[in-house]
Structures are given as structure tokens and as C-alpha cells.
Amino acid sequence: MPAVSHPTPERERRSAVGAGRYGGRMTNTDALYALGASLAPALGRVVDRGKRGKTLEAWGLKPHRADPGTPMAKDDEDGYGNKIPEGVTGTVLFPIMNATDALATIHTVLSEAAKTAPFNHHTPSFLSSCRTAIESSAQAIWIMCPEDRATRRARAAGLARIGIEHAREYHSEALEAHDNNLLLIPRETYDQSTHRLNFHQGELDVLNTLHQENARKYTTMVRKAANWLQDNPPLHTTDVDGKHLPTVMKIQYRVCSSFTHGHSWPADLVHGPSAMFSMMADAIATAVTSTECAIALFEAQSSNPTSGRNHYYPDRLDPTIEEWRKRY
């Protein structure tokens, strides 16, 4: 007779986090979800922070280049903006847009979870999206935070190099797969990939003439971004008050990364739905705060308050933007 595998407490916790479920087979979802939030205050924090993250989506959907005469515009002067693919401005802009999209996705997941019982918050995907927001926004902060223009340029060049190398590898592998009859592609696509391969190599040749800072370790960029925020705390939020932000960001990045890589060990930290929601609440707090700070730092360096241009970030970021604008 085959042995029966009995679930251990650790396995049950991992199963609960994997499913992200809360509640039973019930139909009055609005009332049940409100009851769940009252019984598990951490769930209420998750929902509130999800809504806060959603307010950043409009900024990500309507990006702007640096206004003339701003520090970031000057970062791309003297032809420097043509020496890396998107210039300093574009190199920091896309990661922040990526972070806002991750937060918008989280809000969508939370909104859907509240409508359907049993409530499935897709905790692993939720935390993986938090990791995307933390990592992407930290990259941008890491590039922008130095007051020295040469350092900002070197960091932008270093991060741009990683993206170009990945693009070159993609086209090289596609062409090699076709040549070896492993993955056939149309002739037009083959020619386009050949062109892009040569183009990206040309970009790398130009980058090799520039001073670069190593951008290969994302954990390092997260740590350095957190160090700067600790020394320059944002004025628009009290979420970082009394906290050692480098420690908080490092721990949250570690937990969220584990789910991105398919590791289950953080589930052993969870003892029931309340603990699961606390883990989610801590993660999204870090993700939202770091993304808000990336937007604020971008606006501080790239926007002219007298330009009359519409801004699409929440007004609550204004105090931080104005304070950080003084530094540059």
C-alpha cells in the first residue's frame, strides 16, 4: 500500500500563499470582502496601497522628455544624448514607466480578487510585480541621485549597456537558431535581425568610448537607491519615518525576488491569512514608495515648474519634487 503524505504546517502555509485564497464558497462578495478587511487589517492596507499605486499609472502612460534648461536636459547636451540609445532621459524614463505598470497590474489583481469568492489574491504574482516595481524604480533612482553630472551620465551608460547586450544576444541567438535549422524565421525577419545585430554592435562600440559604472548587479542598485533615500527622505509620505529604508528595501526585495524565481521559503514566514496579507502590505508599501520617489526625482530634474505643461503625477508628490529640485 503506498505511503500517504500528510501535509505539514509548512506545506499548508506554502499552499495557502501559493493560492492566495481568503474566504469560502460565498456569493455576497462586497460584504464578505469588507468583513475580511475588518478582521484582517493588513488586507485593508494592501487594498489602500494598491489604490495609491494605481494613481501613478497616468504618469507612466503619458511620459515626457526633459524640459529645456533643466538638469536632465543638460545631461543630454553636447551630443551626449545621442551616444547612448535613449540618452540619460530615456534610460531612466522607461524603468519608471515599467514600475508604474507593475503597480497598475497589482491594482487590477486586487480589484478582481474582491469580486470573486473564494478571494484569490495571486500572492506569488502580486509579490513578483512588487519586485518589478522596486527593482525598476531603484535603477532610475540610482542613475539620477548623484549631484555630479558625470556620475549620472556614467550610470546611465552602464545601464544602457546591459540592455544593448541583451538585444544583441537576442538577435544573435535568433540568427544562429535559423542557420542551424532549429527555429526557422522568414527572410525579411532574418534580414532585420542581421541589421539590428550590426546596429547594436555599433551602439556598443560608441558606449565603449564612454565612462561607465557597472550596472550588472540589481541588488547593488536597490541598496544604493535606498541609501540615498535614507539620506534624502521624501516629504510626501510618512511611510519611511522611523525606518531604516536600506534594510526595509533589501528585505522586501529579497522576499519578492524569491517568488519571481520560484522559491517557496518565504511562505514559511506566513501563519494564516493575516500574516500573508501583512507580507503583501509590506511589499507593496515598499514598491509604491520607491516608484513615487523615482517619479519625484525625475520630475525634480526634468520639469520646469513655469513651463505650463500638464503633469500627470499625483499632487501629493509636489513637496518632495520641490525639495529635491533644490539639489540639482
Side-chain angles (χ1 to χ4, degrees):
M1 183 174 180
V4 177
S5 176
H6 296 285
T8 64
E10 288 78 9
R11 286 178 182 169
E12 290 178 348
R13 287 195 292 271
R14 293 180 184 185
S15 177
V17 172
R21 292 182 182 275
Y22 185 77
R25 299 188 175 208
M26 302 159 178
T27 55
N28 191 351
T29 55
D30 290 342
L32 284 173
Y33 205 76
L35 176 61
S38 67
L39 295 175
L43 173 58
R45 295 197 296 273
V46 169
V47 173
D48 288 344
R49 290 164 184 172
K51 293 177 181 176
R52 181 174 144 196
K54 173 70 171 179
T55 65
L56 305 176
E57 183 181 27
W59 186 93
L61 294 175
K62 297 180 182 294
H64 70 87
R65 289 282 173 171
D67 291 336
T70 58
M72 190 170 290
K74 293 179 180 179
D75 287 351
D76 284 328
E77 286 181 351
D78 305 324
Y80 194 86
N82 295 322
K83 293 180 180 179
I84 59 179
E86 299 292 338
V88 175
T89 305
T91 302
V92 298
L93 188 57
F94 185 78
I96 310 175
M97 295 166 61
N98 203 44
T100 63
D101 186 71
L103 294 176
T105 300
I106 287 174
H107 181 265
T108 298
V109 170
L110 294 175
S111 299
E112 183 63 27
K115 297 176 184 177
T116 308
F119 306 116
N120 189 343
H121 293 84
H122 300 282
T123 304
S125 297
F126 176 102
L127 293 172
S128 292
S129 294
C130 286
R131 188 237 197 194
T132 296
I134 294 170
E135 181 179 291
S136 295
S137 57
Q139 291 177 51
I141 294 170
W142 174 73
I143 291 174
M144 294 185 289
C145 67
E147 296 179 28
D148 175 63
R149 173 161 293 123
T151 304
R152 295 198 297 272
R153 285 179 166 183
R155 290 184 175 187
L159 188 61
R161 181 184 189 88
I162 304 302
I164 295 170
E165 287 178 344
H166 289 173
R168 183 186 61 177
E169 290 166 3
Y170 168 84
H171 291 291
S172 176
E173 291 168 359
L175 294 171
E176 183 179 354
H178 179 87
D179 293 342
N180 291 328
N181 293 318
L182 300 176
L183 180 64
L184 300 181
I185 56 179
R187 169 52 60 180
E188 181 180 1
T189 303
Y190 188 94
D191 292 342
Q192 290 174 344
S193 282
T194 301
H195 169 75
R196 297 303 301 179
L197 180 64
N198 295 329
F199 179 79
H200 292 311
Q201 184 58 56
E203 290 181 318
L204 286 174
D205 292 341
V206 174
L207 275 176
N208 288 335
T209 68
L210 306 176
H211 177 57
Q212 303 171 37
E213 278 203 31
N214 189 346
R216 296 186 184 279
K217 293 186 177 180
Y218 293 106
T219 53
T220 299
M221 288 188 280
V222 170
R223 175 177 56 80
K224 290 186 175 181
N227 287 341
W228 188 85
L229 293 175
Q230 183 70 25
D231 295 335
N232 303 271
L235 300 183
H236 71 273
T237 178
T238 59
D239 284 356
V240 299
D241 292 355
K243 298 178 181 177
H244 187 250
L245 197 55
T247 299
V248 171
M249 285 186 67
K250 180 172 67 176
I251 288 175
Q252 293 305 319
Y253 183 66
R254 180 78 64 188
V255 168
C256 294
S257 294
S258 71
F259 288 99
T260 299
H261 299 302
H263 302 307
S264 64
W265 64 263
D268 294 337
L269 306 175
V270 172
H271 301 277
S274 292
M276 181 186 73
F277 291 135
S278 292
M279 177 183 287
M280 295 168 66
D282 290 342
I284 194 172
T286 303
V288 172
T289 298
S290 60
T291 304
E292 288 176 340
C293 289
I295 292 174
L297 194 52
F298 182 90
E299 292 293 335
Q301 294 186 20
S302 69
S303 63
N304 183 340
T306 65
S307 67
R309 178 178 51 78
N310 290 334
H311 69 69
Y312 295 96
Y313 59 83
D315 290 340
R316 66 176 182 273
L317 301 186
D318 279 329
T320 301
I321 294 170
E322 294 306 316
E323 179 65 21
W324 287 350
R325 182 175 278 131
K326 300 173 186 177
R327 304 187 66 88
Y328 302 95

